[in-house]
Amino acid sequence: DSNNKIVKEAASATVTDLHTAGVDGADGQVLTDKGDGTIDSEANLTFDGSTLSIEADANTTANALFIDCNALTTGNAIHIDVDDAVADSGANFSIVNIDYDKSANNTSGTKAIYGIDIDLDDDATGNTSNTFLYGVDVDIDAANANGIAGQTGFRANITGGDTAFMHSFSSLITDGGYDFHAQSSANTLD
């Protein structure tokens, strides 16, 4: 105090007001440490109890979501677990939905957009055991075939472009490799 005495102040057991720590954001904003002992309330990172939202409209060269994990053994960089127990025959949803809408006219140069861009590189030069890289691995299974149990591993619907430059499937492989390989479940040699 002003007389250079130490005074014990009674504190509340629960802190609910963070205004003194610099938190003045809106409802649902995620709090982050500024690194100087103060807290920021992120306007572009919100959580409403069930949905985490990242608003990255101003990003031009930065990643909206960056995951760096360099020591995986059995884990995943992203794991989505959907246990669908809803018996609704009218349900129609996607596990992952990429919705890209281009509205600006491209007036010069070439613009290339990849819905999913997969780069798998084995840069190790001293492998002594087997290594297999799978760009896409699809497993689809049904417990029974009651009703119609339709399954499609890959489906492409490509329309509206210049037919000379439209490809339903495009492959470039080192000479001697299989351009396309299909195997029968009844006979693996077929």
Side-chain angles (χ1 to χ4, degrees):
D1 65 6
S2 60
N3 295 321
N4 298 318
K5 295 179 180 175
I6 298 174
V7 179
K8 179 179 182 283
E9 180 181 354
S12 169
T14 304
V15 176
T16 57
D17 186 358
L18 297 176
H19 285 90
T20 58
V23 178
D24 292 314
D27 186 30
Q29 291 181 344
V30 176
L31 303 180
T32 58
D33 186 344
K34 291 175 66 174
D36 62 359
T38 60
I39 298 172
D40 251 349
S41 183
E42 301 294 339
N44 295 331
L45 182 61
T46 59
F47 183 68
D48 68 2
S50 62
T51 302
L52 179 65
S53 176
I54 301 171
E55 300 295 332
D57 292 339
N59 280 5
T60 55
T61 59
N63 298 313
L65 177 63
F66 177 76
I67 299 172
D68 187 17
C69 50
N70 300 319
L72 290 175
T73 56
T74 58
N76 305 292
I78 296 176
H79 178 85
I80 299 173
D81 182 11
V82 179
D83 299 318
D84 189 356
V86 178
D88 182 2
S89 61
N92 185 2
F93 62 92
S94 301
I95 305 299
V96 175
N97 180 24
I98 299 173
D99 182 9
Y100 170 78
D101 300 307
K102 180 184 171 302
S103 60
N105 293 323
N106 193 28
T107 57
S108 65
T110 300
K111 189 173 196 175
I113 288 77
Y114 300 91
I116 297 177
D117 186 9
I118 300 172
D119 294 312
L120 301 176
D121 296 314
D122 184 356
D123 295 324
T125 59
N127 290 331
T128 58
S129 63
N130 302 331
T131 300
F132 296 96
L133 303 177
Y134 298 95
V136 177
D137 182 21
V138 178
D139 295 306
I140 301 173
D141 188 19
N144 65 63
N146 294 339
I148 296 175
Q151 298 173 327
T152 303
F154 293 93
R155 178 177 180 262
N157 183 8
I158 303 166
T159 60
D162 295 322
T163 56
F165 298 98
M166 294 171 68
H167 303 88
S168 180
F169 178 79
S170 176
S171 172
L172 175 64
I173 190 167
T174 301
D175 188 34
Y178 292 102
D179 290 290
F180 181 78
H181 180 92
Q183 191 173 40
S184 170
S185 63
N187 182 355
T188 57
L189 298 178
D190 184 2

